[in-house]
Amino acid sequence: MNILVCFKYIPDEDEISINPDKTVNLSRAAWVVSPYDLNAIEAAMSLSRAVPDGKTAMLTVAGDVLDNSKMKKSALARGPESLYAVRIQDQNAVDNLTVASLLKAAVEKMGDVDIIICGEGSGDMYSQQLGNILGGMLGWPTLNAVSGLSYADGKVMAERTDGNRTETYAIGGKAVLSVTSDICRPHIPTMKEIMGSGKKPMTIWDAGEFTAEATVTSVASVLAPEKAVRKKIMFHESDEAEFDEFCKVLKSSI
């Protein structure tokens, strides 16, 4: 079984700062693999070890970060055997529809892909849409919010949990699955895994080689919220008049 993990490189949120005009400053933010995709990679590797002849590859749509050998290692050190990528000029200038169409074209070019696993959302935008859009474009059965993956009787078993109820789906063919962040805990690669990942193959295609859906949305701005000043108003529970005033303050803040 050939398993493919779709992932995204994003700016490290710990190194993001805010400018005086409330715009986001990414000048010091290094690239990292989206934290939610680390769960997807780990889940894919666990499933790959459970299925007969399981193999796992990775696929991303990204820009100049693809030239960074450290970023290649940071992804492949997680266990997958190879990395595929579609290069675009500016990943901030494309929306989920465009990215999904490029991923679809890459999957079709790769061929022989059985299961695609995505994270529940990206660490920067977290729209939780990409896996569903990709599955729809491919025409494959698609599940999101997958909280468990296993293999039994020649089928992939996907679990979804809703409160006290657990749904289990038996998947005997191709499918696109978006997994939750609590499906597993990503391991930290060892130095041996990091060094060995540099020898793994990486294939990069230019976006111009594929026919992609045009971007239909654009980001007008990304601004930090206004800082709220604490009012430090004290109320006493036993005082009915103060309680009424407390309710007025709550209503005014909504």
Side-chain angles (χ1 to χ4, degrees):
M1 178 180 291
N2 294 320
I3 302 169
L4 181 66
V5 185
C6 294
F7 74 101
K8 183 180 183 181
Y9 290 113
I10 66 169
D12 186 350
E13 62 181 19
D14 292 334
E15 298 179 8
I16 295 175
S17 59
I18 304 301
N19 297 317
D21 62 353
K22 299 188 297 179
T23 57
V24 179
N25 187 338
L26 302 176
S27 61
R28 295 184 179 180
W31 290 101
V32 296
V33 176
S34 175
Y36 299 106
D37 293 337
L38 296 181
N39 298 104
I41 297 168
E42 194 71 25
M45 292 306 303
S46 179
L47 180 61
S48 179
R49 290 188 289 267
V51 303
D53 300 320
K55 296 181 180 180
T56 302
M58 309 179 75
L59 173 63
T60 188
V61 173
D64 292 340
V65 64
L66 297 175
D67 298 324
N68 189 326
S69 61
K70 181 180 178 180
M71 288 298 98
K72 171 193 172 184
K73 292 179 180 179
S74 69
L76 288 173
R78 301 281 172 175
E81 301 170 24
S82 57
L83 171 59
Y84 295 85
V86 180
R87 183 191 294 276
I88 56 178
Q89 293 297 318
D90 180 7
Q91 68 182 57
N92 294 319
V94 294
D95 59 13
N96 284 333
L97 182 65
T98 303
V99 172
S101 65
L102 290 171
L103 292 174
K104 170 182 177 289
V107 169
E108 292 174 341
K109 189 175 183 69
M110 292 170 63
D112 200 21
V113 174
D114 299 304
I115 297 291
I116 298 176
I117 298 179
C118 304
E120 63 181 326
S122 63
D124 52 356
M125 302 304 292
Y126 197 67
S127 65
Q128 297 180 281
Q129 297 175 348
L130 190 62
N132 293 338
I133 298 174
L134 175 59
M137 287 184 168
L138 288 168
W140 294 8
T142 303
L143 283 176
N144 64 350
V146 176
S147 56
L149 284 175
S150 58
Y151 184 78
D153 301 324
K155 295 181 180 181
V156 173
M157 312 302 291
E159 294 183 358
R160 299 177 68 185
T161 303
D162 181 13
N164 296 323
R165 182 183 66 183
T166 298
E167 305 170 343
T168 302
Y169 297 82
I171 303 169
K174 298 179 181 296
V176 178
L177 310 175
S178 296
V179 299
T180 62
S181 58
D182 58 357
I183 191 171
C184 60
R185 178 178 295 180
H187 83 285
I188 299 175
T190 64
M191 183 58 66
K192 182 179 180 181
E193 289 173 324
I194 295 173
M195 297 300 292
S197 63
K199 300 178 182 179
K200 294 181 180 180
M202 179 176 181
T203 302
I204 301 178
W205 298 299
D206 187 88
E209 300 179 41
F210 305 122
T211 300
E213 294 287 340
T215 297
V216 297
T217 61
S218 61
V219 178
S221 64
V222 178
L223 302 175
E226 292 279 0
K227 289 186 177 181
V229 179
R230 293 180 180 272
K231 296 184 178 181
K232 300 179 181 179
I233 301 175
M234 301 294 293
F235 296 96
H236 301 284
E237 184 179 358
S238 59
D239 192 315
E240 184 176 346
E242 285 196 1
F243 180 75
D244 291 340
E245 183 65 24
F246 170 69
C247 292
K248 292 179 181 179
V249 172
L250 283 181
K251 290 180 180 180
S252 65
S253 64
I254 298 176

